[in-house]
């Protein structure tokens, strides 16, 4: 894996969890708006919107660089629109990055032809 691909995947991973958190907070704010006088939806909506747009941009870049099959790219996109999907995306991306590091070390040491 080259450095640009690793960077694209890292950016996507780093924005996944905050995007999921902002989505959950936005849902809570929506409920509070309807049940109380507390109205933080405009602020949280803007924050979540920016994070979602960043996620989609980073997702498209990662898809392009990592040459994911359509099924994998679709999975990461669907995870972005589910309330807790960003947590699952972050965990899966972290696991893939760790596997790539292990494979690179094994190739460097000549242990395996991975």
């Amino acid at each position: 894996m080259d450095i640009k691909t690793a960077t694209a995947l890292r950016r996507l991973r780093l924005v996944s969890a905050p995007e999921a958190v902002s989505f959950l907070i936005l849902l809570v704010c929506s409920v509070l708006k309807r049940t109380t006088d507390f109205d933080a939806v405009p602020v949280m909506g803007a924050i979540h919107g920016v994070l979602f747009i960043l996620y989609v941009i980073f997702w498209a870049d990662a898809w392009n660089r990592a040459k994911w099959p359509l099924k994998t790219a679709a999975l990461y996109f669907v995870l972005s629109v589910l309330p807790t999907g960003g947590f699952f995306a972050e965990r899966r991306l972290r696991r893939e990055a760790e596997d790539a590091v292990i494979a690179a070390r094994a190739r460097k040491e000549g242990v395996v032809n991975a």
Side-chain angles (χ1 to χ4, degrees):
M1 178 182 310
D2 66 339
I3 192 72
K4 289 184 179 183
T5 303
T7 302
L9 293 173
R10 180 174 169 79
R11 278 193 309 245
L12 180 61
R13 184 175 65 85
L14 290 177
V15 79
S16 295
E19 190 271 336
V21 169
S22 72
F23 194 2
L24 291 173
I25 293 172
L26 179 60
L27 291 175
V28 170
C29 289
S30 295
V31 170
L32 290 175
K33 178 182 177 181
R34 307 261 187 273
T35 58
T36 66
D37 291 335
F38 184 75
D39 185 16
V41 172
V43 173
M44 278 313 302
I47 292 170
H48 174 66
V50 168
L51 288 171
F52 181 74
I53 289 169
L54 285 173
Y55 184 95
V56 171
I57 290 169
F58 294 159
W59 166 79
D61 186 38
W63 182 14
N64 182 38
R65 293 187 186 278
K67 305 293 187 236
W68 286 332
L70 183 59
K71 182 179 176 182
T72 302
L75 171 69
Y76 283 120
F77 186 79
V78 168
L79 287 175
S80 75
V81 296
L82 298 176
T84 58
F87 299 120
F88 295 107
E90 191 276 332
R91 183 172 37 179
R92 186 172 170 154
L93 287 164
R94 185 181 65 228
R95 193 176 307 135
E96 287 179 13
E98 290 169 354
D99 291 347
V101 168
I102 291 169
R105 286 181 183 162
R107 276 192 306 272
K108 184 177 180 181
E109 295 174 3
V111 174
V112 68
N113 195 9

